[in-house]
PDB file of all heavy atoms in Angstrom:
ATOM      1  N   GLY A 882     -35.463-103.943 177.671  1.00 94.00           N
ATOM      2  CA  GLY A 882     -36.099-104.027 178.977  1.00 94.00           C
ATOM      3  C   GLY A 882     -37.364-104.856 178.891  1.00 94.00           C
ATOM      4  O   GLY A 882     -37.929-105.045 177.812  1.00 94.00           O
ATOM      5  N   VAL A 883     -37.812-105.355 180.036  1.00 96.00           N
ATOM      6  CA  VAL A 883     -39.050-106.126 180.086  1.00 96.00           C
ATOM      7  C   VAL A 883     -40.017-105.440 181.034  1.00 96.00           C
ATOM      8  O   VAL A 883     -39.682-105.134 182.176  1.00 96.00           O
ATOM      9  CB  VAL A 883     -38.796-107.599 180.492  1.00 96.00           C
ATOM     10  CG1 VAL A 883     -38.017-107.694 181.790  1.00 96.00           C
ATOM     11  CG2 VAL A 883     -40.107-108.368 180.604  1.00 96.00           C
ATOM     12  N   LEU A 884     -41.202-105.133 180.512  1.00 96.00           N
ATOM     13  CA  LEU A 884     -42.266-104.519 181.289  1.00 96.00           C
ATOM     14  C   LEU A 884     -43.196-105.637 181.756  1.00 96.00           C
ATOM     15  O   LEU A 884     -43.708-106.407 180.931  1.00 96.00           O
ATOM     16  CB  LEU A 884     -43.027-103.505 180.435  1.00 96.00           C
ATOM     17  CG  LEU A 884     -44.255-102.838 181.053  1.00 96.00           C
ATOM     18  CD1 LEU A 884     -43.861-102.024 182.281  1.00 96.00           C
ATOM     19  CD2 LEU A 884     -44.955-101.953 180.018  1.00 96.00           C
ATOM     20  N   ILE A 885     -43.420-105.731 183.073  1.00 95.00           N
ATOM     21  CA  ILE A 885     -44.156-106.852 183.640  1.00 95.00           C
ATOM     22  C   ILE A 885     -45.472-106.361 184.237  1.00 95.00           C
ATOM     23  O   ILE A 885     -45.478-105.750 185.307  1.00 95.00           O
ATOM     24  CB  ILE A 885     -43.330-107.558 184.727  1.00 95.00           C
ATOM     25  CG1 ILE A 885     -41.944-107.939 184.197  1.00 95.00           C
ATOM     26  CG2 ILE A 885     -44.065-108.803 185.234  1.00 95.00           C
ATOM     27  CD1 ILE A 885     -41.013-108.509 185.262  1.00 95.00           C
ATOM     28  N   PRO A 886     -46.583-106.611 183.554  1.00 94.00           N
ATOM     29  CA  PRO A 886     -47.888-106.302 184.166  1.00 94.00           C
ATOM     30  C   PRO A 886     -48.172-107.295 185.297  1.00 94.00           C
ATOM     31  O   PRO A 886     -48.003-108.511 185.125  1.00 94.00           O
ATOM     32  CB  PRO A 886     -48.885-106.486 183.017  1.00 94.00           C
ATOM     33  CG  PRO A 886     -48.059-106.541 181.773  1.00 94.00           C
ATOM     34  CD  PRO A 886     -46.753-107.112 182.179  1.00 94.00           C
ATOM     35  N   VAL A 887     -48.586-106.785 186.443  1.00 92.00           N
ATOM     36  CA  VAL A 887     -48.850-107.633 187.600  1.00 92.00           C
ATOM     37  C   VAL A 887     -50.227-107.288 188.153  1.00 92.00           C
ATOM     38  O   VAL A 887     -50.457-106.164 188.587  1.00 92.00           O
ATOM     39  CB  VAL A 887     -47.790-107.439 188.706  1.00 92.00           C
ATOM     40  CG1 VAL A 887     -48.077-108.362 189.889  1.00 92.00           C
ATOM     41  CG2 VAL A 887     -46.392-107.689 188.171  1.00 92.00           C
ATOM     42  N   GLN A 888     -51.127-108.257 188.115  1.00 87.00           N
ATOM     43  CA  GLN A 888     -52.429-108.065 188.741  1.00 87.00           C
ATOM     44  C   GLN A 888     -52.252-108.172 190.249  1.00 87.00           C
ATOM     45  O   GLN A 888     -51.542-109.047 190.739  1.00 87.00           O
ATOM     46  CB  GLN A 888     -53.412-109.127 188.252  1.00 87.00           C
ATOM     47  CG  GLN A 888     -54.841-108.898 188.702  1.00 87.00           C
ATOM     48  CD  GLN A 888     -55.780-109.959 188.141  1.00 87.00           C
ATOM     49  OE1 GLN A 888     -55.363-110.865 187.432  1.00 87.00           O
ATOM     50  NE2 GLN A 888     -57.057-109.827 188.470  1.00 87.00           N
ATOM     51  N   CYS A 889     -52.875-107.262 190.986  1.00 79.00           N
ATOM     52  CA  CYS A 889     -52.656-107.211 192.436  1.00 79.00           C
ATOM     53  C   CYS A 889     -53.486-108.271 193.153  1.00 79.00           C
ATOM     54  O   CYS A 889     -54.413-107.975 193.915  1.00 79.00           O
ATOM     55  CB  CYS A 889     -52.962-105.812 192.973  1.00 79.00           C
ATOM     56  SG  CYS A 889     -51.744-104.592 192.458  1.00 79.00           S
ATOM     57  N   GLU A 890     -53.160-109.515 192.882  1.00 77.00           N
ATOM     58  CA  GLU A 890     -53.767-110.655 193.552  1.00 77.00           C
ATOM     59  C   GLU A 890     -52.676-111.667 193.866  1.00 77.00           C
ATOM     60  O   GLU A 890     -51.620-111.677 193.230  1.00 77.00           O
ATOM     61  CB  GLU A 890     -54.850-111.301 192.673  1.00 77.00           C
ATOM     62  CG  GLU A 890     -56.053-110.392 192.446  1.00 77.00           C
ATOM     63  CD  GLU A 890     -57.140-111.083 191.632  1.00 77.00           C
ATOM     64  OE1 GLU A 890     -56.927-112.248 191.237  1.00 77.00           O
ATOM     65  OE2 GLU A 890     -58.176-110.448 191.392  1.00 77.00           O
ATOM     66  N   TYR A 891     -52.957-112.556 194.818  1.00 72.00           N
ATOM     67  CA  TYR A 891     -51.931-113.463 195.317  1.00 72.00           C
ATOM     68  C   TYR A 891     -51.309-114.322 194.226  1.00 72.00           C
ATOM     69  O   TYR A 891     -50.097-114.420 194.104  1.00 72.00           O
ATOM     70  CB  TYR A 891     -52.507-114.356 196.420  1.00 72.00           C
ATOM     71  CG  TYR A 891     -51.613-115.523 196.760  1.00 72.00           C
ATOM     72  CD1 TYR A 891     -50.385-115.318 197.382  1.00 72.00           C
ATOM     73  CD2 TYR A 891     -51.975-116.822 196.442  1.00 72.00           C
ATOM     74  CE1 TYR A 891     -49.555-116.369 197.687  1.00 72.00           C
ATOM     75  CE2 TYR A 891     -51.155-117.881 196.741  1.00 72.00           C
ATOM     76  CZ  TYR A 891     -49.941-117.663 197.373  1.00 72.00           C
ATOM     77  OH  TYR A 891     -49.125-118.710 197.657  1.00 72.00           O
ATOM     78  N   PHE A 892     -52.131-114.972 193.386  1.00 72.00           N
ATOM     79  CA  PHE A 892     -51.593-115.909 192.416  1.00 72.00           C
ATOM     80  C   PHE A 892     -50.784-115.219 191.320  1.00 72.00           C
ATOM     81  O   PHE A 892     -49.998-115.867 190.641  1.00 72.00           O
ATOM     82  CB  PHE A 892     -52.718-116.748 191.808  1.00 72.00           C
ATOM     83  CG  PHE A 892     -53.252-117.795 192.749  1.00 72.00           C
ATOM     84  CD1 PHE A 892     -54.529-117.696 193.253  1.00 72.00           C
ATOM     85  CD2 PHE A 892     -52.463-118.855 193.149  1.00 72.00           C
ATOM     86  CE1 PHE A 892     -55.015-118.650 194.130  1.00 72.00           C
ATOM     87  CE2 PHE A 892     -52.931-119.814 194.019  1.00 72.00           C
ATOM     88  CZ  PHE A 892     -54.218-119.713 194.520  1.00 72.00           C
ATOM     89  N   ALA A 893     -50.972-113.925 191.133  1.00 65.00           N
ATOM     90  CA  ALA A 893     -50.155-113.200 190.163  1.00 65.00           C
ATOM     91  C   ALA A 893     -48.688-113.226 190.562  1.00 65.00           C
ATOM     92  O   ALA A 893     -47.799-113.173 189.715  1.00 65.00           O
ATOM     93  CB  ALA A 893     -50.645-111.760 190.036  1.00 65.00           C
ATOM     94  N   LEU A 894     -48.405-113.324 191.846  1.00 71.00           N
ATOM     95  CA  LEU A 894     -47.023-113.352 192.308  1.00 71.00           C
ATOM     96  C   LEU A 894     -46.307-114.629 191.881  1.00 71.00           C
ATOM     97  O   LEU A 894     -45.089-114.635 191.688  1.00 71.00           O
ATOM     98  CB  LEU A 894     -46.985-113.226 193.835  1.00 71.00           C
ATOM     99  CG  LEU A 894     -47.571-111.929 194.407  1.00 71.00           C
ATOM    100  CD1 LEU A 894     -47.514-111.960 195.928  1.00 71.00           C
ATOM    101  CD2 LEU A 894     -46.852-110.714 193.857  1.00 71.00           C
ATOM    102  N   GLU A 895     -47.067-115.729 191.732  1.00 70.00           N
ATOM    103  CA  GLU A 895     -46.440-116.963 191.304  1.00 70.00           C
ATOM    104  C   GLU A 895     -45.935-116.861 189.870  1.00 70.00           C
ATOM    105  O   GLU A 895     -44.847-117.309 189.539  1.00 70.00           O
ATOM    106  CB  GLU A 895     -47.420-118.124 191.451  1.00 70.00           C
ATOM    107  CG  GLU A 895     -47.744-118.464 192.904  1.00 70.00           C
ATOM    108  CD  GLU A 895     -48.561-119.736 193.024  1.00 70.00           C
ATOM    109  OE1 GLU A 895     -49.156-120.156 192.012  1.00 70.00           O
ATOM    110  OE2 GLU A 895     -48.596-120.291 194.129  1.00 70.00           O
ATOM    111  N   GLY A 896     -46.733-116.271 188.977  1.00 67.00           N
ATOM    112  CA  GLY A 896     -46.273-116.064 187.620  1.00 67.00           C
ATOM    113  C   GLY A 896     -45.075-115.143 187.571  1.00 67.00           C
ATOM    114  O   GLY A 896     -44.162-115.320 186.765  1.00 67.00           O
ATOM    115  N   LEU A 897     -45.050-114.164 188.446  1.00 80.00           N
ATOM    116  CA  LEU A 897     -43.934-113.227 188.508  1.00 80.00           C
ATOM    117  C   LEU A 897     -42.644-113.938 188.866  1.00 80.00           C
ATOM    118  O   LEU A 897     -41.581-113.666 188.305  1.00 80.00           O
ATOM    119  CB  LEU A 897     -44.246-112.129 189.533  1.00 80.00           C
ATOM    120  CG  LEU A 897     -43.151-111.108 189.823  1.00 80.00           C
ATOM    121  CD1 LEU A 897     -42.780-110.351 188.554  1.00 80.00           C
ATOM    122  CD2 LEU A 897     -43.616-110.146 190.906  1.00 80.00           C
ATOM    123  N   SER A 898     -42.712-114.877 189.791  1.00 78.00           N
ATOM    124  CA  SER A 898     -41.506-115.577 190.219  1.00 78.00           C
ATOM    125  C   SER A 898     -40.880-116.368 189.077  1.00 78.00           C
ATOM    126  O   SER A 898     -39.660-116.365 188.903  1.00 78.00           O
ATOM    127  CB  SER A 898     -41.822-116.507 191.405  1.00 78.00           C
ATOM    128  OG  SER A 898     -42.668-117.566 191.004  1.00 78.00           O
ATOM    129  N   SER A 899     -41.700-117.025 188.262  1.00 79.00           N
ATOM    130  CA  SER A 899     -41.181-117.784 187.135  1.00 79.00           C
ATOM    131  C   SER A 899     -40.554-116.869 186.093  1.00 79.00           C
ATOM    132  O   SER A 899     -39.502-117.181 185.524  1.00 79.00           O
ATOM    133  CB  SER A 899     -42.301-118.603 186.496  1.00 79.00           C
ATOM    134  OG  SER A 899     -42.775-119.588 187.380  1.00 79.00           O
ATOM    135  N   LEU A 900     -41.187-115.739 185.829  1.00 83.00           N
ATOM    136  CA  LEU A 900     -40.663-114.813 184.839  1.00 83.00           C
ATOM    137  C   LEU A 900     -39.327-114.229 185.277  1.00 83.00           C
ATOM    138  O   LEU A 900     -38.386-114.124 184.491  1.00 83.00           O
ATOM    139  CB  LEU A 900     -41.672-113.691 184.574  1.00 83.00           C
ATOM    140  CG  LEU A 900     -41.224-112.635 183.564  1.00 83.00           C
ATOM    141  CD1 LEU A 900     -40.897-113.258 182.221  1.00 83.00           C
ATOM    142  CD2 LEU A 900     -42.298-111.574 183.409  1.00 83.00           C
ATOM    143  N   LEU A 901     -39.217-113.845 186.557  1.00 88.00           N
ATOM    144  CA  LEU A 901     -37.953-113.303 187.049  1.00 88.00           C
ATOM    145  C   LEU A 901     -36.837-114.327 186.941  1.00 88.00           C
ATOM    146  O   LEU A 901     -35.687-113.992 186.645  1.00 88.00           O
ATOM    147  CB  LEU A 901     -38.113-112.839 188.497  1.00 88.00           C
ATOM    148  CG  LEU A 901     -39.016-111.615 188.708  1.00 88.00           C
ATOM    149  CD1 LEU A 901     -39.163-111.320 190.187  1.00 88.00           C
ATOM    150  CD2 LEU A 901     -38.474-110.399 187.978  1.00 88.00           C
ATOM    151  N   ASP A 902     -37.165-115.586 187.163  1.00 87.00           N
ATOM    152  CA  ASP A 902     -36.187-116.649 187.029  1.00 87.00           C
ATOM    153  C   ASP A 902     -35.706-116.752 185.582  1.00 87.00           C
ATOM    154  O   ASP A 902     -34.515-116.927 185.309  1.00 87.00           O
ATOM    155  CB  ASP A 902     -36.805-117.973 187.480  1.00 87.00           C
ATOM    156  CG  ASP A 902     -35.759-119.020 187.830  1.00 87.00           C
ATOM    157  OD1 ASP A 902     -34.812-118.681 188.558  1.00 87.00           O
ATOM    158  OD2 ASP A 902     -35.908-120.160 187.370  1.00 87.00           O
ATOM    159  N   THR A 903     -36.640-116.602 184.636  1.00 88.00           N
ATOM    160  CA  THR A 903     -36.286-116.644 183.225  1.00 88.00           C
ATOM    161  C   THR A 903     -35.443-115.443 182.824  1.00 88.00           C
ATOM    162  O   THR A 903     -34.479-115.570 182.057  1.00 88.00           O
ATOM    163  CB  THR A 903     -37.564-116.698 182.359  1.00 88.00           C
ATOM    164  OG1 THR A 903     -38.310-117.859 182.707  1.00 88.00           O
ATOM    165  CG2 THR A 903     -37.219-116.751 180.886  1.00 88.00           C
ATOM    166  N   VAL A 904     -35.783-114.259 183.332  1.00 92.00           N
ATOM    167  CA  VAL A 904     -35.010-113.062 183.022  1.00 92.00           C
ATOM    168  C   VAL A 904     -33.564-113.221 183.484  1.00 92.00           C
ATOM    169  O   VAL A 904     -32.618-112.843 182.786  1.00 92.00           O
ATOM    170  CB  VAL A 904     -35.658-111.819 183.670  1.00 92.00           C
ATOM    171  CG1 VAL A 904     -34.741-110.610 183.548  1.00 92.00           C
ATOM    172  CG2 VAL A 904     -36.997-111.515 183.003  1.00 92.00           C
ATOM    173  N   LYS A 905     -33.370-113.815 184.662  1.00 92.00           N
ATOM    174  CA  LYS A 905     -32.012-114.070 185.148  1.00 92.00           C
ATOM    175  C   LYS A 905     -31.242-114.957 184.177  1.00 92.00           C
ATOM    176  O   LYS A 905     -30.087-114.687 183.835  1.00 92.00           O
ATOM    177  CB  LYS A 905     -32.070-114.735 186.516  1.00 92.00           C
ATOM    178  CG  LYS A 905     -32.625-113.886 187.642  1.00 92.00           C
ATOM    179  CD  LYS A 905     -32.696-114.709 188.919  1.00 92.00           C
ATOM    180  CE  LYS A 905     -33.417-113.960 190.033  1.00 92.00           C
ATOM    181  NZ  LYS A 905     -33.531-114.767 191.257  1.00 92.00           N
ATOM    182  N   ALA A 906     -31.887-116.034 183.726  1.00 92.00           N
ATOM    183  CA  ALA A 906     -31.232-116.972 182.820  1.00 92.00           C
ATOM    184  C   ALA A 906     -30.891-116.298 181.492  1.00 92.00           C
ATOM    185  O   ALA A 906     -29.796-116.506 180.940  1.00 92.00           O
ATOM    186  CB  ALA A 906     -32.131-118.189 182.590  1.00 92.00           C
ATOM    187  N   VAL A 907     -31.796-115.477 180.966  1.00 93.00           N
ATOM    188  CA  VAL A 907     -31.552-114.781 179.706  1.00 93.00           C
ATOM    189  C   VAL A 907     -30.393-113.799 179.855  1.00 93.00           C
ATOM    190  O   VAL A 907     -29.549-113.682 178.966  1.00 93.00           O
ATOM    191  CB  VAL A 907     -32.832-114.059 179.235  1.00 93.00           C
ATOM    192  CG1 VAL A 907     -32.533-113.129 178.054  1.00 93.00           C
ATOM    193  CG2 VAL A 907     -33.896-115.071 178.845  1.00 93.00           C
ATOM    194  N   ARG A 908     -30.325-113.109 180.973  1.00 94.00           N
ATOM    195  CA  ARG A 908     -29.216-112.174 181.197  1.00 94.00           C
ATOM    196  C   ARG A 908     -27.879-112.889 181.207  1.00 94.00           C
ATOM    197  O   ARG A 908     -26.890-112.405 180.665  1.00 94.00           O
ATOM    198  CB  ARG A 908     -29.395-111.434 182.522  1.00 94.00           C
ATOM    199  CG  ARG A 908     -30.391-110.289 182.459  1.00 94.00           C
ATOM    200  CD  ARG A 908     -30.207-109.354 183.642  1.00 94.00           C
ATOM    201  NE  ARG A 908     -28.954-108.638 183.579  1.00 94.00           N
ATOM    202  CZ  ARG A 908     -28.533-107.770 184.503  1.00 94.00           C
ATOM    203  NH1 ARG A 908     -29.280-107.538 185.551  1.00 94.00           N
ATOM    204  NH2 ARG A 908     -27.400-107.144 184.373  1.00 94.00           N
ATOM    205  N   HIS A 909     -27.825-114.036 181.813  1.00 93.00           N
ATOM    206  CA  HIS A 909     -26.558-114.762 181.937  1.00 93.00           C
ATOM    207  C   HIS A 909     -26.128-115.399 180.628  1.00 93.00           C
ATOM    208  O   HIS A 909     -24.930-115.518 180.354  1.00 93.00           O
ATOM    209  CB  HIS A 909     -26.679-115.839 183.015  1.00 93.00           C
ATOM    210  CG  HIS A 909     -26.683-115.287 184.411  1.00 93.00           C
ATOM    211  ND1 HIS A 909     -25.694-114.466 184.900  1.00 93.00           N
ATOM    212  CD2 HIS A 909     -27.564-115.447 185.434  1.00 93.00           C
ATOM    213  CE1 HIS A 909     -25.955-114.138 186.155  1.00 93.00           C
ATOM    214  NE2 HIS A 909     -27.094-114.716 186.502  1.00 93.00           N
ATOM    215  N   ARG A 910     -27.093-115.800 179.793  1.00 93.00           N
ATOM    216  CA  ARG A 910     -26.753-116.626 178.638  1.00 93.00           C
ATOM    217  C   ARG A 910     -26.953-115.955 177.286  1.00 93.00           C
ATOM    218  O   ARG A 910     -26.244-116.278 176.327  1.00 93.00           O
ATOM    219  CB  ARG A 910     -27.589-117.918 178.668  1.00 93.00           C
ATOM    220  CG  ARG A 910     -27.351-118.747 179.920  1.00 93.00           C
ATOM    221  CD  ARG A 910     -28.264-119.967 179.926  1.00 93.00           C
ATOM    222  NE  ARG A 910     -28.145-120.714 181.181  1.00 93.00           N
ATOM    223  CZ  ARG A 910     -28.859-121.796 181.485  1.00 93.00           C
ATOM    224  NH1 ARG A 910     -29.741-122.247 180.625  1.00 93.00           N
ATOM    225  NH2 ARG A 910     -28.688-122.407 182.641  1.00 93.00           N
ATOM    226  N   LEU A 911     -27.918-115.042 177.191  1.00 93.00           N
ATOM    227  CA  LEU A 911     -28.304-114.540 175.876  1.00 93.00           C
ATOM    228  C   LEU A 911     -28.248-113.027 175.730  1.00 93.00           C
ATOM    229  O   LEU A 911     -27.923-112.527 174.664  1.00 93.00           O
ATOM    230  CB  LEU A 911     -29.731-115.014 175.541  1.00 93.00           C
ATOM    231  CG  LEU A 911     -29.952-116.522 175.455  1.00 93.00           C
ATOM    232  CD1 LEU A 911     -31.448-116.834 175.382  1.00 93.00           C
ATOM    233  CD2 LEU A 911     -29.229-117.104 174.250  1.00 93.00           C
ATOM    234  N   ASN A 912     -28.600-112.298 176.785  1.00 95.00           N
ATOM    235  CA  ASN A 912     -28.752-110.848 176.662  1.00 95.00           C
ATOM    236  C   ASN A 912     -28.320-110.168 177.961  1.00 95.00           C
ATOM    237  O   ASN A 912     -29.159-109.843 178.806  1.00 95.00           O
ATOM    238  CB  ASN A 912     -30.209-110.505 176.326  1.00 95.00           C
ATOM    239  CG  ASN A 912     -30.428-109.021 176.097  1.00 95.00           C
ATOM    240  OD1 ASN A 912     -29.502-108.227 176.108  1.00 95.00           O
ATOM    241  ND2 ASN A 912     -31.689-108.644 175.886  1.00 95.00           N
ATOM    242  N   PRO A 913     -27.025-109.945 178.131  1.00 95.00           N
ATOM    243  CA  PRO A 913     -26.530-109.399 179.405  1.00 95.00           C
ATOM    244  C   PRO A 913     -27.008-107.995 179.716  1.00 95.00           C
ATOM    245  O   PRO A 913     -26.916-107.554 180.859  1.00 95.00           O
ATOM    246  CB  PRO A 913     -24.999-109.439 179.238  1.00 95.00           C
ATOM    247  CG  PRO A 913     -24.750-109.651 177.803  1.00 95.00           C
ATOM    248  CD  PRO A 913     -25.948-110.270 177.194  1.00 95.00           C
ATOM    249  N   THR A 914     -27.535-107.263 178.734  1.00 94.00           N
ATOM    250  CA  THR A 914     -28.000-105.891 178.982  1.00 94.00           C
ATOM    251  C   THR A 914     -29.483-105.820 179.312  1.00 94.00           C
ATOM    252  O   THR A 914     -30.005-104.738 179.547  1.00 94.00           O
ATOM    253  CB  THR A 914     -27.715-105.006 177.757  1.00 94.00           C
ATOM    254  OG1 THR A 914     -28.442-105.495 176.627  1.00 94.00           O
ATOM    255  CG2 THR A 914     -26.222-104.991 177.426  1.00 94.00           C
ATOM    256  N   LEU A 915     -30.174-106.950 179.330  1.00 95.00           N
ATOM    257  CA  LEU A 915     -31.600-106.949 179.629  1.00 95.00           C
ATOM    258  C   LEU A 915     -31.851-106.465 181.049  1.00 95.00           C
ATOM    259  O   LEU A 915     -31.179-106.886 181.989  1.00 95.00           O
ATOM    260  CB  LEU A 915     -32.175-108.368 179.464  1.00 95.00           C
ATOM    261  CG  LEU A 915     -33.674-108.535 179.750  1.00 95.00           C
ATOM    262  CD1 LEU A 915     -34.499-107.766 178.724  1.00 95.00           C
ATOM    263  CD2 LEU A 915     -34.054-110.015 179.742  1.00 95.00           C
ATOM    264  N   GLU A 916     -32.817-105.574 181.192  1.00 93.00           N
ATOM    265  CA  GLU A 916     -33.154-105.056 182.514  1.00 93.00           C
ATOM    266  C   GLU A 916     -34.659-105.053 182.721  1.00 93.00           C
ATOM    267  O   GLU A 916     -35.430-105.183 181.761  1.00 93.00           O
ATOM    268  CB  GLU A 916     -32.603-103.643 182.704  1.00 93.00           C
ATOM    269  CG  GLU A 916     -33.124-102.638 181.706  1.00 93.00           C
ATOM    270  CD  GLU A 916     -32.489-101.265 181.874  1.00 93.00           C
ATOM    271  OE1 GLU A 916     -31.296-101.204 182.233  1.00 93.00           O
ATOM    272  OE2 GLU A 916     -33.190-100.270 181.649  1.00 93.00           O
ATOM    273  N   ILE A 917     -35.062-104.945 183.961  1.00 92.00           N
ATOM    274  CA  ILE A 917     -36.478-104.834 184.272  1.00 92.00           C
ATOM    275  C   ILE A 917     -36.915-103.399 184.017  1.00 92.00           C
ATOM    276  O   ILE A 917     -36.462-102.472 184.691  1.00 92.00           O
ATOM    277  CB  ILE A 917     -36.758-105.216 185.741  1.00 92.00           C
ATOM    278  CG1 ILE A 917     -36.300-106.651 186.022  1.00 92.00           C
ATOM    279  CG2 ILE A 917     -38.253-105.060 186.044  1.00 92.00           C
ATOM    280  CD1 ILE A 917     -37.063-107.708 185.280  1.00 92.00           C
ATOM    281  N   GLU A 918     -37.773-103.212 183.022  1.00 91.00           N
ATOM    282  CA  GLU A 918     -38.280-101.878 182.721  1.00 91.00           C
ATOM    283  C   GLU A 918     -39.173-101.377 183.848  1.00 91.00           C
ATOM    284  O   GLU A 918     -39.171-100.185 184.179  1.00 91.00           O
ATOM    285  CB  GLU A 918     -39.073-101.915 181.409  1.00 91.00           C
ATOM    286  CG  GLU A 918     -39.467-100.557 180.880  1.00 91.00           C
ATOM    287  CD  GLU A 918     -38.302 -99.823 180.244  1.00 91.00           C
ATOM    288  OE1 GLU A 918     -37.264-100.457 179.971  1.00 91.00           O
ATOM    289  OE2 GLU A 918     -38.434 -98.602 180.035  1.00 91.00           O
ATOM    290  N   GLY A 919     -39.923-102.295 184.428  1.00 92.00           N
ATOM    291  CA  GLY A 919     -40.773-101.923 185.548  1.00 92.00           C
ATOM    292  C   GLY A 919     -41.877-102.939 185.755  1.00 92.00           C
ATOM    293  O   GLY A 919     -42.201-103.727 184.875  1.00 92.00           O
ATOM    294  N   LEU A 920     -42.429-102.925 186.955  1.00 94.00           N
ATOM    295  CA  LEU A 920     -43.605-103.732 187.282  1.00 94.00           C
ATOM    296  C   LEU A 920     -44.814-102.811 187.252  1.00 94.00           C
ATOM    297  O   LEU A 920     -44.839-101.788 187.941  1.00 94.00           O
ATOM    298  CB  LEU A 920     -43.460-104.373 188.657  1.00 94.00           C
ATOM    299  CG  LEU A 920     -42.660-105.682 188.749  1.00 94.00           C
ATOM    300  CD1 LEU A 920     -41.184-105.442 188.450  1.00 94.00           C
ATOM    301  CD2 LEU A 920     -42.800-106.312 190.122  1.00 94.00           C
ATOM    302  N   LEU A 921     -45.789-103.165 186.441  1.00 95.00           N
ATOM    303  CA  LEU A 921     -46.980-102.334 186.253  1.00 95.00           C
ATOM    304  C   LEU A 921     -48.166-102.990 186.934  1.00 95.00           C
ATOM    305  O   LEU A 921     -48.559-104.100 186.581  1.00 95.00           O
ATOM    306  CB  LEU A 921     -47.265-102.150 184.763  1.00 95.00           C
ATOM    307  CG  LEU A 921     -48.541-101.386 184.416  1.00 95.00           C
ATOM    308  CD1 LEU A 921     -48.435 -99.930 184.852  1.00 95.00           C
ATOM    309  CD2 LEU A 921     -48.840-101.506 182.921  1.00 95.00           C
TER     310      LEU A 921
END
């Protein structure tokens, strides 16, 4: 699982979008069991 710390500010959401995109790619190609542990 991947635990994602998120600072509660606007620009933190931009970093989140890129990471979620990467998690999707990793699930499809490298690690199909990877899940979102949670947003902190």
Side-chain angles (χ1 to χ4, degrees):
V883 54
L884 175 62
I885 307 174
V887 181
Q888 188 178 1
C889 290
E890 294 183 359
Y891 167 68
F892 286 112
L894 299 178
E895 292 188 342
L897 175 60
S898 67
S899 295
L900 179 58
L901 292 176
D902 200 47
T903 301
V904 171
K905 294 177 188 178
V907 170
R908 281 197 68 181
H909 286 305
R910 300 177 185 177
L911 299 169
N912 184 4
T914 63
L915 180 66
E916 60 184 34
I917 301 294
E918 189 76 14
L920 277 68
L921 176 67

